[in-house]
Amino acid sequence: MLTSDFNFDLPEELIAQHPSGVRGQDKLMVLNRATGKVEHHMMDDLPDLIEPGTLMIFNNSRVRRARVYGIKETTGRETEFMFLNTIDKECCVWNTMVKSAKKQKPGMHYKFPDGTVAQIIEHEGNAGTEFRALKFDFAIDENWFERNGHIPLPPYIKRGDTEEDSERYQNVYATDTGSAACPTAGLHFTNEMLKRLDEKGIERRFVTLHVGLGTFLPVREENIENHKMHEEWYTIPKETADAINKAKKEGRPVLAVGTTSVRTLESAALAEPSDGKGLQTEWVRAGTSSTSIFMYPGYKFKVVDKMFTNFHTPESTLIMLVSAFAGRENILSAYKTAVENKYRFFSYGDCMFIR
């Protein structure tokens, strides 16, 4: 299957540059993945579209102020670093994604806004890529990012971050800081919406997957099967695993909110365990692990029954994932309809419920 099979025409004016005026006041497309039928709703309608007893899984990862600008000591020029994850246990070495990476070489030093200095060091696997290992003399923490960093808006948002983004590029239920990009399907949910879901008898549980930019890197391979995903860490708490196994056993649907929740659940899926009588008793187990799962058409979903998601970029791993779930033809047809109806696309855009 070719990367170009997942391309579609998108007018630039439909790429949302700002969040909606009020959180949750967004268009909602409902897609029947069996028939391809599309319905048009508003986000406010969602509780009435989900059957009681459904288990919704949210990713509670919180966005770090991960975009930090350093001054290269040899030239005085500003360099943009996107901090992804720590490399050593003391947290003094970070894996970063760097603008103009070819010019940023081991041995170079950079000074950050508070005067902190770090050095690029050799790291296996980074040569020839946009990633660089950055070594500090002390462990930096979230306070350091708060002092020095910016909200890491995606590159298709053609503006700098503002104070509004500090609130609107975070999910209202986000608690565990560590993502370099927001799990944006959750941006449509307000505390009032969560309360309405509770009142409808819709169960909610959380997982944590810290989003790295590997999810958003372009697919550079002509054949998608040759693309390799970067690893991301996830955690499934015991109460979430128990709730999933109970729902699956009782035949109640599991609705994943966002592709990161989908990737977490499918990464943790067990390979048809049985109780000795040929019956499945567990679908996932609690714990922390890493995943580089890549889902595209042909993938068989083991845990997720329904999906709530945003509209994704052409030829991305994310549009391939939703195509695996709903069918490539159904997704491309739905996206064409979304363009015709002026839906807003990507992180700050409108949303889709696939059932």
Side-chain angles (χ1 to χ4, degrees):
M1 192 165 270
L2 302 179
T3 299
S4 57
D5 292 335
F6 299 88
N7 196 13
F8 64 94
D9 293 326
L10 179 66
E12 189 171 348
E13 63 267 21
L14 295 184
I15 301 174
Q17 297 297 307
H18 296 271
S20 56
V22 177
R23 188 190 289 264
Q25 298 300 306
D26 306 298
K27 291 181 181 179
L28 169 64
M29 176 181 285
V30 178
L31 171 63
N32 184 315
R33 63 181 177 135
T35 66
K37 180 183 177 183
V38 161
E39 298 174 6
H40 301 286
H41 292 270
M42 294 298 292
M43 181 63 189
D44 197 52
D45 300 330
L46 184 65
D48 298 323
L49 298 169
I50 302 173
E51 61 188 272
T54 296
L55 172 61
M56 295 183 74
I57 304 296
F58 295 79
N59 180 7
N60 65 6
S61 181
R62 185 173 176 82
V63 181
R64 172 180 287 131
R65 297 182 75 91
R67 177 175 281 124
V68 189
Y69 296 90
I71 302 297
K72 186 188 295 187
E73 290 196 335
T74 54
T75 65
R77 290 181 179 175
E78 187 175 74
T79 302
E80 177 186 312
F81 292 87
M82 185 72 74
F83 284 70
L84 302 177
N85 56 275
T86 55
I87 293 174
D88 75 351
K89 293 181 180 179
E90 287 74 34
C91 304
C92 297
V93 180
W94 281 76
N95 187 35
T96 67
M97 191 176 186
V98 191
K99 279 284 184 72
S100 304
K102 290 182 179 179
K103 298 179 181 179
Q104 321 309 328
K105 299 177 182 179
M108 293 181 172
H109 290 76
Y110 302 81
K111 181 178 288 187
F112 293 97
D114 67 350
T116 305
V117 176
Q119 177 186 5
I120 291 179
I121 62 172
E122 296 277 3
H123 183 64
E124 184 180 357
N126 279 358
T129 72
E130 49 268 274
F131 300 99
R132 295 290 182 271
L134 204 57
K135 186 180 187 306
F136 292 81
D137 290 333
F138 60 93
I140 60 175
D141 57 16
E142 295 307 326
N143 289 328
W144 187 89
F145 286 104
E146 287 297 317
R147 292 195 307 271
N148 294 279
H150 294 260
I151 297 296
L153 296 178
Y156 47 73
I157 294 181
K158 307 295 186 182
R159 61 177 178 82
D161 62 308
T162 67
E163 278 306 307
E164 179 187 39
D165 297 307
S166 298
E167 181 217 349
R168 294 298 300 274
Y169 197 65
Q170 297 280 12
N171 293 317
V172 298
Y173 49 78
T175 56
D176 193 344
T177 302
S179 278
C182 183
T184 53
L187 294 178
H188 305 281
F189 291 84
T190 64
N191 287 319
E192 179 185 3
M193 172 62 71
L194 298 177
K195 182 179 178 182
R196 289 180 59 200
L197 292 170
D198 293 342
E199 292 170 348
K200 284 279 187 176
I202 298 163
E203 189 178 3
R204 291 187 290 115
R205 290 291 186 272
F206 296 97
V207 296
T208 305
L209 182 142
H210 291 315
V211 186
L213 292 188
T215 301
F216 303 99
L217 285 176
V219 179
R220 297 188 175 102
E221 301 287 348
E222 182 180 1
N223 295 307
I224 65 173
E225 293 87 351
N226 296 330
H227 178 72
K228 303 296 182 186
M229 296 284 286
H230 289 267
E231 284 195 338
E232 295 165 311
W233 285 92
Y234 69 85
T235 298
I236 300 180
K238 184 178 186 304
E239 66 174 18
T240 299
D242 290 346
I244 292 168
N245 292 327
K246 186 171 187 290
K248 298 295 285 186
K249 189 174 182 179
E250 294 173 354
R252 294 185 286 115
V254 173
L255 195 175
V257 176
T259 56
T260 57
S261 295
V262 174
R263 297 184 73 242
T264 298
L265 298 183
E266 294 298 318
S267 296
L270 301 174
E272 299 186 9
S274 76
D275 63 355
K277 300 177 182 178
L279 298 176
Q280 188 162 356
T281 58
E282 284 186 298
W283 281 258
V284 299
R285 288 177 186 158
T288 295
S289 187
S290 65
T291 179
S292 57
I293 192 170
F294 177 26
M295 288 173 275
Y296 50 85
Y299 177 84
K300 303 298 183 185
F301 287 79
K302 305 172 184 67
V303 179
V304 177
D305 303 298
K306 301 182 180 184
M307 189 188 306
F308 181 94
T309 186
N310 280 10
F311 291 90
H312 303 294
T313 54
E315 300 188 354
S316 65
T317 60
L318 302 180
I319 193 172
M320 293 171 190
L321 186 156
V322 296
S323 294
F325 190 70
R328 185 182 73 92
E329 293 77 10
N330 287 344
I331 288 295
L332 292 179
S333 176
Y335 276 40
K336 184 174 184 292
T337 300
V339 169
E340 291 168 351
N341 286 269
K342 306 297 184 183
Y343 277 69
R344 301 167 77 236
F345 277 68
F346 309 158
S347 293
Y348 275 148
D350 295 312
C351 47
M352 173 185 282
F353 177 29
I354 307 174
R355 61 183 183 181

